[in-house]
């Protein structure tokens, strides 16, 4: 009786094991394809703004922030932007050959332009391409009149934000 039962169930067990093997292999290929699709995305947990001398002016990491951007009326402050990984270490920005710069980059919004303007430094400025590769992305903050404002920073990738600052970056113009 047991022998008959094993003979009846054997084809079903083989079919089940074969199906599981094919399903598992198929899922692994799908995961690999998703990884290739997401390869260009940046998994940032924060960012640092540094002045031209390399001194940290502002830091946001996992929602906590330190520092403020301060400048005088009429002054232009160039700040490099460095994004941070989950350990608080700088994420190296690597440009692939043939990559079009206008699809990726940073965007700023929310500032009061009567107090200060915040502009993203363009990659197409002559002579600045080497500077961008060495330091990453940069913004210019221009003091217009005394007061305070703030701005939001986003790291854009193919039309959507890979990272959005959780706090607005404070700007004080004296």
């Amino acid at each position: 009786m047991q022998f008959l039962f094993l003979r009846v169930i054997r084809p079903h067990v083989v079919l089940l094991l074969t199906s599981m093997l094919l399903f598992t292999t198929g899922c692994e290929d799908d995961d690999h394809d998703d990884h290739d699709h997401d390869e260009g995305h940046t998994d940032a947990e924060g960012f640092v703004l540094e002045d031209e001398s390399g001194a940290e002016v502002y830091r946001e990491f996992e929602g906590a922030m330190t520092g403020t951007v301060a400048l005088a009326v009429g002054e232009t402050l160039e700040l490099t932007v460095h994004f941070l990984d989950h350990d608080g270490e700088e994420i190296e920005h690597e440009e692939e050959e043939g990559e079009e710069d206008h699809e990726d980059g940073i965007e700023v919004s929310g500032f009061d332009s009567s107090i200060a303007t915040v502009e993203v430094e363009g990659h197409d400025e002559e002579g600045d391409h080497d500077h961008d590769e060495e330091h990453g992305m940069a913004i210019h903050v221009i003091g217009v009149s005394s007061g305070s404002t703030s701005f939001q920073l986003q790291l854009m990738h193919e039309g959507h934000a890979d990272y959005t600052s959780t706090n607005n970056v404070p700007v004080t113009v004296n």
Side-chain angles (χ1 to χ4, degrees), residues 5-163:
F5 176 74
L6 291 176
R7 200 167 20 157
V8 170
I9 198 167
R10 182 177 171 190
H12 297 288
V13 171
V14 170
L15 179 63
L16 179 66
L17 291 175
T18 304
S19 298
M20 288 176 48
L21 179 65
L22 291 174
F23 179 76
T24 304
T25 304
C27 288
E28 287 176 10
D29 289 340
D30 288 345
D31 290 345
H32 183 68
D33 290 344
D34 289 343
H35 176 71
D36 290 344
H37 174 72
D38 292 339
E39 192 170 302
H41 293 272
T42 303
D43 187 20
E45 297 293 328
F47 66 97
V48 173
L49 299 178
E50 294 179 350
D51 64 16
E52 292 179 25
S53 68
E56 185 176 298
V57 173
Y58 179 85
R59 171 185 289 261
E60 177 179 295
F61 181 64
E62 296 180 337
M65 59 182 238
T66 58
T68 185
V69 177
L71 67 161
V73 173
E75 181 181 4
T76 299
L77 187 60
E78 182 178 338
L79 300 172
T80 55
V81 182
H82 304 277
F83 289 93
L84 306 174
D85 64 14
H86 66 279
D87 293 325
E89 300 294 323
E90 181 180 344
I91 299 171
E92 295 298 323
H93 178 72
E94 297 176 13
E95 290 189 30
E96 297 176 16
E97 285 204 28
E99 179 179 306
E100 295 184 24
D101 292 328
H102 69 277
E103 290 182 5
D104 302 333
I106 54 176
E107 287 185 7
V108 293
S109 61
F111 55 89
D112 182 348
S113 60
S114 68
I115 296 172
T117 58
V118 184
E119 303 169 344
V120 175
E121 182 177 282
H123 286 284
D124 54 76
E125 295 177 24
E126 278 191 44
D128 283 345
H129 189 68
D130 292 335
H131 177 75
D132 288 331
E133 283 183 8
E134 181 181 333
H135 295 289
M137 299 171 233
I139 58 173
H140 297 154
V141 182
I142 304 161
V144 177
S145 66
S146 293
S148 61
T149 186
S150 62
F151 65 91
Q152 183 179 57
L153 183 85
Q154 290 185 311
L155 175 62
M156 302 301 292
H157 177 73
E158 296 181 1
H160 68 274
D162 273 359
Y163 175 80

